[in-house]
Amino acid sequence: MGYNRFGFEPSVNYEIASPFPVPEDVFMVKPLSGYSKHHRGKVIYPAAFNNV
């Protein structure tokens, strides 16, 4: 069952794209109470994560 039991869903359901190639069902988000449909796009990590 994984993270779904905690309310996470595939990010593609919300038009949120991963910054790297991964299967659609593994990059997940948990919508917060302030979520609005205009919150969509590609996730960008800070440069400090480039070599992780």
Side-chain angles (χ1 to χ4, degrees), residues 1-3 6-10 12-13 17 21 24 30 33 36-37 40-41 43-47:
M1 186 182 229
Y3 290 104
F6 298 111
F8 286 85
E9 301 177 47
V12 295
N13 294 353
E24 290 184 353
K30 182 174 181 177
S33 60
S36 176
K37 288 187 178 192
R40 61 180 183 257
V43 172
I44 300 173
Y45 284 97

Side-chain angles (χ1 to χ4, degrees), residues 26-51:
V26 299
F27 194 71
M28 304 185 86
V29 298
K30 182 174 181 177
L32 303 175
S33 60
Y35 169 75
S36 176
K37 288 187 178 192
H38 77 275
H39 295 133
R40 61 180 183 257
K42 187 173 187 174
V43 172
I44 300 173
Y45 284 97
F49 288 91
N50 288 346
N51 295 321

